[in-house]
């Protein structure tokens, strides 16, 4: 359910704000009040015109009621309630669509992210030529298995993406608004926003932030993330590198397969000319298979190029940083 915006009846646009703090929540009734209080204290301390937007991603407890109570105390607290659990990426997208700030801060609603770090994130964004600042949980207050899995995930992602961040899993980030408006995320790809933003040409950096153990509720970190992470990384690398040039991926693989098959067949042909019998050689079948497979892979790449050309939209191929005049 969308919260009504002020002045909507008069048809006026909502007043732009300095900062919008976006908090996707799922069954976090116990933490809403404390989180709201601490976030608003920091906004007041900075003198920032801001808002705190909770996105209820299908909670089954009293999370939405708790947010409504906070809204009655302070209208800067707002609520976007989704009809069901769509996932964190969808919740973040809903938050971006409803936020009014030129700077967007995302954080988790379980109080493991420290609201007192918000000013430091914003300062890092304003001081440097950065478009996205990620909070690096240098000392994680999580169970050992999660810390080990996170380190492995971050190392693989950092190596393959060439984006030099320590903590891709961190949901505690500050963005210039245009980053989240231009980088579309779906499924579980919210963890790879820095990679997608970097490929788009935005400047990405990080600062160390405090991290606290979860004191109430339970983590929704499940076993399924162990396989979703690598699959999503492959997806991100593919769409960030080969969306506009699929033949650059399929072409080399297909040509290598064809060349290997051709080499095998050429070798067997040379043996045949010397009088060797080839009918009982499995190598002949392998050579033919590699050649056919190579042709099919290259053809797949060509079909991808045709689809890309047919659906190409000029404005999707670039991102404008600034306009003058």
């Amino acid at each position: 359910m969308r919260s009504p915006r002020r002045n909507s009846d008069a048809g006026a646009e909502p007043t732009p704000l300095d900062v919008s703090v976006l908090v996707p929540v799922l069954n976090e009734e116990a933490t809403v009040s404390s989180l709201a209080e601490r976030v608003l204290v920091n906004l007041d301390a900075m003198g920032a015109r801001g808002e705190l937007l909770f996105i209820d991603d299908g909670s089954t407890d009293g999370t939405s009621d708790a947010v409504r109570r906070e809204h009655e105390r302070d209208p800067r607290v707002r609520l976007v309630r989704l009809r069901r659990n769509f996932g964190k990426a969808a919740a973040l997208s809903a938050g971006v669509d409803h936020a009014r700030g030129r700077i967007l801060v995302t954080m988790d609603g379980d109080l493991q992210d420290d609201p007192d770090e918000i000013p430091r994130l914003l300062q890092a964004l304003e001081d440097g030529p950065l478009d996205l600042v990620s909070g690096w949980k240098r000392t994680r207050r999580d169970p050992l298995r999660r810390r080990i899995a996170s380190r492995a995930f971050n190392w693989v992602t950092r190596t393959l993406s060439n984006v030099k961040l320590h903590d891709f899993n961190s949901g505690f980030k500050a963005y210039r608004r245009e980053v989240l408006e231009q980088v579309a995320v779906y499924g579980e790809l919210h963890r790879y926003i820095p990679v997608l933003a970097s490929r788009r040409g935005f400047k990405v950096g990080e600062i160390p932030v405090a991290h606290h153990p979860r004191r109430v509720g339970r983590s929704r970190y499940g076993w399924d993330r162990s396989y979703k992470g690598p699959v999503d990384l492959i997806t991100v690398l593919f769409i960030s590198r080969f969306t506009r040039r699929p033949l650059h991926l399929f072409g080399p693989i297909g040509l290598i397969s064809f060349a290997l098959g051709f080499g095998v067949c050429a070798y067997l042909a040379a043996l045949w000319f010397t009088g060797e019998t080839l009918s009982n050689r499995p190598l002949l079948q392998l050579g033919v298979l590699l050649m056919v497979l190579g042709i099919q892979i290259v053809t797949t790449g060509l079909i991808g190029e045709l689809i890309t050309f047919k659906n190409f939209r000029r404005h999707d191929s670039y991102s404008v940083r600034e306009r003058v005049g």
Side-chain angles (χ1 to χ4, degrees):
M1 180 176 66
R2 292 186 181 180
S3 297
R5 295 186 178 186
R6 283 175 284 183
N7 300 327
S8 60
D9 293 338
E13 289 293 325
T15 303
L17 302 175
D18 296 327
V19 183
S20 292
V21 180
L22 310 183
V23 186
V25 285
L26 177 60
N27 297 333
E28 300 287 2
E29 178 184 7
T31 62
V32 165
S33 178
S34 297
L35 180 61
E37 179 182 359
R38 295 182 61 189
V39 169
L40 295 176
V41 164
N42 277 281
L43 291 179
D44 289 337
M46 292 185 294
R49 293 180 302 115
E51 65 180 354
L52 171 58
L53 181 58
F54 287 94
I55 306 96
D56 187 349
D57 189 22
S59 295
T60 56
D61 63 358
T63 296
S64 289
D65 292 333
V67 177
R68 291 189 192 96
R69 289 192 294 270
E70 294 305 315
H71 173 73
E72 292 174 359
R73 295 190 184 99
D74 193 320
R76 290 178 295 175
V77 179
R78 301 174 57 217
L79 169 67
V80 172
R81 186 180 183 187
L82 305 186
R83 292 183 181 275
R84 63 171 177 83
N85 178 236
F86 287 90
K88 191 170 184 178
L92 286 174
S93 295
V96 173
D97 291 341
H98 289 79
R100 304 169 186 167
R102 64 180 182 86
I103 301 296
L104 305 179
V105 176
T106 61
M107 63 187 303
D108 293 336
D110 54 13
L111 289 178
Q112 288 193 266
D113 294 335
D114 193 332
D116 295 342
E117 298 284 8
I118 292 176
R120 295 183 59 242
L121 286 172
L122 297 179
Q123 192 65 45
L125 197 67
E126 295 292 343
D127 285 349
L130 297 177
D131 302 297
L132 186 162
V133 177
S134 181
W136 171 22
K137 296 173 286 189
R138 178 182 288 174
T139 304
R140 292 192 58 153
R141 306 298 183 181
D142 287 321
L144 179 61
R145 65 179 182 84
R146 286 190 60 180
R147 297 200 303 270
I148 294 175
S150 179
R151 287 183 180 180
F153 165 81
N154 286 316
W155 180 84
V156 172
T157 304
R158 183 167 56 249
T159 302
L160 294 181
S161 69
N162 201 33
V163 177
K164 303 305 181 184
L165 296 184
H166 292 86
D167 191 358
F168 290 89
N169 272 322
S170 174
F172 200 11
K173 295 180 173 70
Y175 310 80
R176 300 191 190 278
R177 186 182 185 91
E178 54 266 30
V179 176
L180 291 179
E181 287 183 339
Q182 295 187 29
V183 175
V185 293
Y186 59 91
E188 298 290 329
L189 299 188
H190 56 88
R191 287 171 290 187
Y192 300 102
I193 291 177
V195 178
L196 296 171
S198 177
R199 297 293 182 192
R200 191 84 173 160
F202 291 108
K203 301 298 183 183
V204 176
E206 68 181 354
I207 63 170
V209 295
H211 188 243
H212 302 289
R214 175 183 275 269
R215 301 190 183 280
V216 295
R218 63 180 183 85
S219 171
R220 273 158 285 278
Y221 183 99
W223 64 271
D224 56 341
R225 288 188 65 178
S226 62
Y227 71 85
K228 285 182 179 178
V231 171
D232 289 334
L233 178 58
I234 294 173
T235 301
V236 167
L237 294 177
F238 180 82
I239 65 178
S240 63
R241 295 183 181 180
F242 303 110
T243 299
R244 298 297 177 196
R245 47 182 186 179
L247 192 59
H248 287 205
L249 172 65
F250 293 103
I253 298 174
L255 291 176
I256 290 172
S257 177
F258 182 85
L260 290 174
F262 184 83
V264 169
C265 290
Y267 167 71
L268 294 176
L271 293 181
W272 181 76
F273 279 114
T274 62
E276 292 282 345
T277 301
L278 304 181
S279 59
N280 60 345
R281 286 180 175 267
L283 196 59
L284 176 61
Q285 298 176 355
L286 175 62
V288 174
L289 177 63
L290 287 172
M291 291 180 66
V292 172
L293 183 62
I295 293 172
Q296 289 179 331
I297 293 175
V298 171
T299 302
T300 300
L302 289 172
I303 293 174
E305 291 284 346
L306 291 174
I307 294 173
T308 299
F309 176 78
K310 183 67 176 178
N311 294 281
F312 175 73
R313 294 179 296 180
R314 187 183 304 274
H315 63 82
D316 285 342
S317 64
Y318 62 86
S319 173
V320 177
R321 177 183 293 272
E322 182 182 7
R323 291 185 178 91
V324 178

